[in-house]
Each structure stands twice: as C-alpha cells, then as structure tokens.
Amino acid sequence: MTICIQNGTLVSGDRTRPGDLLIEDGVIRQVGSDEEILAAVGPGLSGDRSIDAAGCLVFPGFIDGHTHMDMPVSGTVTADDFRSGTEAALLGGTTMIVDFATQDRGGTLHEALDVWHGRADGKCACDYGFHMAVTDWNARTRRELHEMAQAGVTSFKAYYAYDGLMLRDPEMYDLLCEMREIGGILGVHCENGPVLDRLREKAVAAGHTSPAWHPRTRPALLEGEAVSRFLRLADLAGAPAWVVHLSTADGLQEIRAARARGQQVLVESCPQYLALTEEVYDKPGFEGAKYVCSPPLRPQADRNALWQALENGEIDILSTDHCSFNFKGQKEMGQDNFTKIPNGMPGIEHRPTVMYTAAVATGRIQASDLIRMLAENPAKMFGVWDRKGSLTPGKDADVVIYDPKADFTISAANQHHNCDYTPFEGFRTAGSVRDVFLRGIHAVQGGALRRTGCGQYIARKKMR
C-alpha cells in the first residue's frame, strides 16, 4: 500500500520547500518533487492513494517529551488516561509522547516501569515511551539504571521539590555520575522544595489561601537557585543536563552561564509560559485555580525573556507538561487552601497550534525553527532519531498536514482532553491540523479521529 501526499510545502528543521512525499508500508519511501519521486520509484508507483495537500504545510509528526497520564497525585488521579490523552495528542499532530514512569519510595524502577506499561499498553492512539523518575536512590536503584537503558528507557528525571519525590544534592550528584556511565540524560524539576514548603506554610498560617498565593509562594529566584545547583552538579559529574519546563529569566541566566562554561545544557519550556502570565491567578472567584501548575505562570518580564530565548534558538524543545485535572471535583479540592489544589494543566492537543499561531504566524520564528523544537530535537534528545523527527526516507511515516488558513478557536467545548476546561479558552489559532499519519496509518482525517489504539511502545536509544 502506497500513499502519495502531493502539492504541499514540506517543512524540516533546516528548510521549507514545495514537494511530495511517498509512504510505503508505514515508512517514508521518498521525498521530493513529482519528478524526483517518479525517478526514484518508477512509473505507476505514485501512490495507491493520493492526498492533496495544496496550500498546506507538511510536518514530521510532533513529539511531546513531557506528559503525565493516568498518574496518582494529590489524593486524586489525572483526568486523562493514556487513551484519552493520546487521542487528544494525535488530533493535535503529536504522534509520540514520552511519559514519566515514577518510582515509589521503597519500590524499584522495574516495578514502576511495569505499572506504567500496564496503564499504557494497548490503549494509546499514538506511539509512546517512558522516562523514569528516580525518587529513592540506593545501590539497587543504581544497578537498575543500566537495566532500564537496556529496556529502552534512556532518559530520567529527578525532583528538587515535592515531599516523597525530591532527592538531596549528594544523591543528585551520584545520579548524574551514573548518567555519564550509561549515556543517559537527566531532567530535573528545578525549584527549592523545602524553602517553597516554608513559604506556603507561612502564607496559609497568615490566612492567605486563595489561588493568587500559588505564584507568590513559588518565587522565580528559587527556580534560578535550583537551576544553578543542578547545573553545577552536572558540571562536576561531567554529565549533560536537561532543565525541564523553564519558566523564568533567573533560570535562563543560570543556563547561559553554564553554557558559557562549556556545559551541555538542554532546555525545555512549555506553551503556557509563553502564552500566559501570572495575572490569571487573580481571576474572580476560584477561577485562578485552573492555572495552578508548577512552576507557576510568571510575570510579563519572565515571559519576555523566554520569548527572546526562543527567538535566539536557546530553547531546545517545547513540551506540554500535560497534567490534567478537572476544575469540578479536582481543582476544587483546594477551594479553602491553595496548597491542596492539584498542580497541573491540560495542553497536549493544543501545543502545536498555540505555538504556530504565537510564534510562526506572527513572524517571530520560522516554521523550520518550530519543527526543531517540536520534532527534531526531541527525537535526538530522547533516542528515537533513527525512526522519528523528520521527513526522511526510511523513517516512520509520522506526518502532519497543517492548514494555515483554517479558522479555529480553542475551547473546552471542542477539545478532546478528558477535562472540563482549557487554559487557552478563546484562543484563536492561525490554522489547524487537518490530517495525521501514524506510521502510515491515516489516523486523523479532516480534523476528525478515524483510527485509534494504534500506538506502539518505542524502546529508545541513547541521546544522539
């Protein structure tokens, strides 16, 4: 079975050009002009099916390297499981996610991986892999890191915040040293957890319980402090460092200093830190609870700094940190105390359109720049570059047809997250995803999901 996508504009990380794309047996067979495809495959093989992409952009499938599906947290479970979350992802053009399997204190990495496979296998609409969050550092965990790499888990996460998750500096250093040995990469949630806890305790004791106090008790300088600590430990260990969900100018300054020292630092940010500011926490009533995530949304000055970094090419990947909770019944758990609001927001469906609209359609960056952050760099960082991330012959036929002329407004009513709100309510996009192919399967057609449950687990290699 061959499919030929014709008359579109092909977008890669280094160029944009008119051309056609031939898919055969689930992989990309040839890319180029009609003449190039004809010369390569011969007459009569222009495709058993032809898809007209005239006026549209043709992208490689997007990869979201930071999601939390079906995750128990704060006395509840995220609203999206792997079925609903990956269906929303696929409709937005994301053809692979990398979710966080999380070790329990006292548990093993193998046990965590088995639990996450149980939650995801047979349910996913798009392809998937797992990072491993390390929360209990000991000799057994050290040995298991090597076994995880053999099982296709080559990226890991640690926390400087949250009781039950955070590691101490000596443990963080040991973990970084082990990354060097196995060729893995460690991402860290950079906030000074113990100090944040004290600030939150003091706020509640003083009677400050509204969502507006969420950002006030998680100040930017405590992100910068934790970023600095992490990067200096990584430097000492001789290991690459991945700063997850960067939200502040303070953290960015520390990253620039580390890069100036010659360190390899990979930087991730998220659409919410580029599209929204902390003013949303002052919405009337309890509406601000919808935006409670960690790190929190920041003032305009931090947003401006992140935009400048994006335009300068200093941000490597844009992920969602998709961690959805319903406003009714879940976010409302913290109605009398902001510290009890489950932290996280939905966004996996809307990442590509929000960023295309805010960054490409406005002329701040080129479409090729966006593809590096949404597809190519994640594929390289997370060990799937041999199969994913570009429109290259021999790779999986993960392809997105994007219509930049489509008029679409994001709302809770038309989204596919299993969530009763969206932080991007009323956001008018410059275009929308029209068609999505997952390994050659025409899963999304005309903006509607036609095939689901086709996702496969992808065992990953070392960072490229």
Side-chain angles (χ1 to χ4, degrees):
M1 176 66 172
T2 60
I3 301 170
C4 190
I5 299 174
Q6 298 177 306
N7 307 317
T9 298
L10 308 178
V11 184
S12 64
D14 60 357
R15 62 173 172 165
T16 299
R17 60 167 176 157
D20 297 347
L21 185 148
L22 187 69
I23 297 170
E24 186 174 36
D25 297 328
V27 301
I28 298 171
R29 180 169 181 187
Q30 184 67 28
V31 178
S33 65
D34 287 340
E35 294 77 13
E36 289 171 324
I37 289 181
L38 186 63
V41 302
L45 287 179
S46 60
D48 299 315
R49 288 180 57 210
S50 293
I51 308 294
D52 187 8
C56 294
L57 300 169
V58 181
F59 296 131
F62 309 128
I63 299 170
D64 192 339
H66 192 143
T67 70
H68 299 283
M69 306 294 181
D70 201 3
M71 184 178 74
V73 62
S74 300
T76 186
V77 180
T78 53
D80 279 301
D81 61 13
F82 280 91
R83 178 173 286 108
S84 66
T86 57
E87 286 182 351
L90 196 62
L91 283 156
T94 293
T95 53
M96 182 176 177
I97 66 167
V98 193
D99 202 81
F100 288 94
T102 302
Q103 176 193 27
D104 289 330
R105 286 275 171 89
T108 70
L109 303 186
H110 281 292
E111 288 167 349
L113 187 59
D114 288 344
V115 167
W116 256 259
H117 270 299
R119 293 172 180 171
D121 293 353
K123 301 171 187 174
C124 290
C126 68
D127 288 348
Y128 60 101
F130 301 118
H131 310 291
M132 178 60 64
V134 177
T135 67
D136 194 354
W137 182 250
N138 51 52
R140 181 182 60 194
T141 299
R142 186 194 299 270
R143 291 193 302 270
E144 283 191 293
L145 290 177
H146 298 258
E147 296 163 4
M148 288 296 103
Q150 294 170 3
V153 178
T154 54
S155 48
F156 301 84
K157 186 179 183 182
Y159 291 82
Y160 271 137
Y162 304 124
D163 292 338
L165 295 176
M166 70 178 76
L167 296 184
R168 298 179 300 111
D169 283 334
E171 298 168 331
M172 193 74 74
Y173 170 70
D174 285 346
L175 181 54
L176 282 162
C177 288
E178 216 61 32
M179 291 297 103
R180 184 189 62 215
E181 295 300 316
I182 67 174
I185 183 172
L186 179 68
V188 172
H189 179 119
C190 292
E191 291 184 289
N192 189 318
V195 177
L196 297 181
D197 289 343
R198 181 57 56 86
L199 294 176
R200 285 149 58 89
E201 289 167 5
K202 292 178 68 174
V204 172
H208 304 305
T209 59
S210 76
W213 282 86
H214 175 66
R216 295 172 189 173
T217 55
R218 302 184 93 97
L221 63 88
L222 291 184
E223 177 177 276
E225 182 272 339
V227 168
S228 175
R229 197 157 26 112
F230 169 46
L231 295 183
R232 290 185 180 276
L233 290 178
D235 195 10
L236 184 65
W242 164 29
V243 177
V244 305
H245 49 50
L246 178 69
S247 68
T248 64
D250 206 46
L252 178 61
Q253 182 177 347
E254 298 296 337
I255 289 163
R256 286 170 172 162
R259 285 174 167 171
R261 293 194 297 266
Q263 283 187 248
Q264 184 181 13
V265 183
L266 290 307
V267 179
E268 168 193 275
S269 194
C270 309
Q272 55 266 34
Y273 301 118
L274 292 155
L276 302 169
T277 68
E278 67 177 6
E279 293 177 355
V280 296
Y281 296 115
D282 295 319
K283 284 178 176 284
F286 194 60
E287 285 292 302
K290 294 178 177 179
Y291 304 89
V292 168
C293 60
S294 294
L297 304 177
R298 303 294 188 180
Q300 184 65 45
D302 289 301
R303 182 185 178 199
N304 291 345
L306 292 181
W307 270 112
Q308 188 62 59
L310 189 83
E311 294 170 20
N312 292 345
E314 297 176 271
I315 294 175
D316 297 285
I317 63 172
L318 287 167
S319 307
T320 57
D321 195 7
H322 179 89
C323 189
S324 61
F325 299 98
N326 283 306
F327 181 65
K328 296 291 185 183
Q330 290 187 301
K331 290 288 188 178
E332 288 178 335
M333 291 165 61
Q335 195 149 16
D336 298 322
N337 183 341
F338 75 92
T339 68
K340 297 180 180 180
I341 301 170
N343 279 216
M345 295 193 298
I348 200 168
E349 182 176 359
H350 302 132
R351 174 183 62 138
T353 51
V354 167
M355 291 313 305
Y356 180 88
T357 302
V360 178
T362 58
R364 302 187 81 151
I365 63 173
Q366 300 300 309
S368 290
D369 300 321
L370 185 64
I371 288 308
R372 285 197 297 274
M373 291 182 280
L374 295 188
E376 290 196 3
N377 289 345
K380 293 173 181 176
M381 280 178 62
F382 303 132
V384 293
W385 180 242
D386 60 328
R387 295 186 57 176
K388 310 281 187 183
S390 67
L391 301 175
T392 303
K395 292 195 177 186
D396 289 351
D398 297 342
V399 182
V400 176
I401 301 176
Y402 189 90
D403 182 358
K405 302 180 300 299
D407 187 8
F408 184 75
T409 300
I410 296 172
S411 74
N414 61 29
Q415 72 175 358
H416 297 84
H417 302 138
N418 187 34
C419 194
D420 60 6
Y421 80 96
T422 168
F424 303 112
E425 186 71 39
F427 186 98
R428 188 171 180 179
T429 70
S432 65
V433 171
R434 195 192 81 180
D435 293 80
V436 181
F437 294 82
L438 174 67
R439 286 176 281 100
I441 300 167
H442 199 174
V444 175
Q445 302 178 36
L449 187 66
R450 301 301 184 191
R451 293 281 299 277
T452 189
C454 300
Q456 295 180 357
Y457 172 70
I458 305 296
R460 298 178 294 111
K461 301 178 181 179
K462 297 177 182 178
M463 181 175 66
R464 182 181 181 274

